[in-house]
Amino acid sequence: MRRVILSGTSHSGKSTLLEALAQKGYRTIPEVETQVRQGLVRELGSDAARQWIRENYFEYRRLVGDKVAEVESIINASSDEIVILDRSAVCYIGYCHLRKIRVPPVLEELANRMSDMDVAFLGALTSFDERKSEGRIMTKEEAQKLVGLIQLEYEKRGFRLIHVPEFYPDKDKNIQARIGYIKQAFSL
């Protein structure tokens, strides 16, 4: 099975691109952190979820790691030829470095098992929306710093990154251009 990771900073269009790839028939896996965060927002409310994440960041990253492990086991049992994922354990390790916290063992274990994956590293979009109502805590400045940390983590582990820029300010044109670029770069 071949895996392609969509990586990059917050608000680089990963989720939107993933949805467009799914509509074209590719098997896709949405960002697991979003699922964990949305669960916290449902349980605690938006403001309380953001506060809990800030105060319990190691535990939050451990929860994300546990969810990644769950998704990995489902993917490994799959017979799909190509799977495209929104983020990976390596990305979440970059988040730990940004917040200067210890990396939860589950994330390190998952990242160490990763191999033979292609990484499409999406550049930030011109517009930036913090989306606080979704429980997000990332600012634009933090997002810019995070890009370097994630990139460094992938390179340290020997992954080849293909940088995918924002081609057009128009959302639909940009999505189609990015899909074409990724298909060509990874021979999909």
Side-chain angles (χ1 to χ4, degrees):
M1 173 190 314
R2 184 164 175 211
R3 297 179 194 196
V4 176
I5 308 294
L6 297 184
S7 187
T9 187
S10 287
H11 199 72
S12 59
K14 294 177 303 299
S15 299
T16 302
L17 184 59
L18 195 75
E19 289 172 17
L21 287 161
Q23 289 175 357
K24 292 194 175 291
Y26 290 97
R27 167 110 190 268
T28 61
I29 307 293
E31 182 181 22
V32 298
E33 178 179 11
T34 299
Q35 297 169 34
V36 172
R37 190 178 56 246
Q38 288 173 343
L40 290 170
V41 168
R42 278 191 303 276
E43 183 180 330
L44 306 172
S46 180
D47 290 341
R50 292 177 71 220
Q51 185 67 30
W52 186 89
I53 292 168
R54 280 193 184 99
E55 293 173 358
N56 302 280
Y57 204 72
F58 177 84
E59 179 63 17
Y60 174 65
R61 285 291 153 208
R62 190 196 58 74
L63 289 172
V64 171
D66 289 346
K67 185 70 174 173
V68 171
E70 179 186 319
V71 169
E72 285 288 323
S73 66
I74 294 167
I75 293 171
N76 290 337
S78 168
S79 62
D80 290 320
E81 187 174 313
I82 297 172
V83 177
I84 303 172
L85 299 98
D86 185 342
R87 296 210 183 273
S88 75
V90 173
C91 298
Y92 300 128
I93 289 172
Y95 277 88
C96 293
H97 295 319
L98 177 70
R99 300 282 183 221
K100 296 178 174 41
I101 66 158
R102 184 171 56 95
V103 176
V106 65
L107 287 176
E108 195 63 52
E109 291 166 17
L110 288 164
N112 289 338
R113 289 197 311 246
M114 290 173 59
S115 63
D116 299 325
M117 293 187 193
D118 297 311
V119 181
F121 205 80
L122 277 60
L125 300 174
T126 306
S127 61
F128 186 91
D129 177 6
E130 292 182 11
R131 296 184 270 186
K132 291 180 181 180
S133 65
E134 296 175 11
R136 293 179 182 235
I137 62 172
M138 181 81 48
T139 66
K140 185 174 185 175
E141 293 74 26
E142 290 171 323
Q144 291 168 336
K145 186 175 180 182
L146 178 64
V147 168
L149 294 170
I150 291 173
Q151 182 173 336
L152 185 65
E153 194 64 34
Y154 273 114
E155 289 170 350
K156 179 177 90 175
R157 294 171 183 275
F159 287 88
R160 181 178 71 106
L161 304 176
I162 298 296
H163 291 270
V164 183
E166 177 180 36
F167 290 100
Y168 302 102
D170 177 79
K171 181 180 176 179
D172 293 331
K173 283 178 71 173
N174 191 52
I175 291 169
Q176 294 312 310
R178 282 179 156 186
I179 289 172
Y181 190 81
I182 290 169
K183 286 173 70 173
Q184 182 177 10
F186 297 125
S187 302
L188 298 181

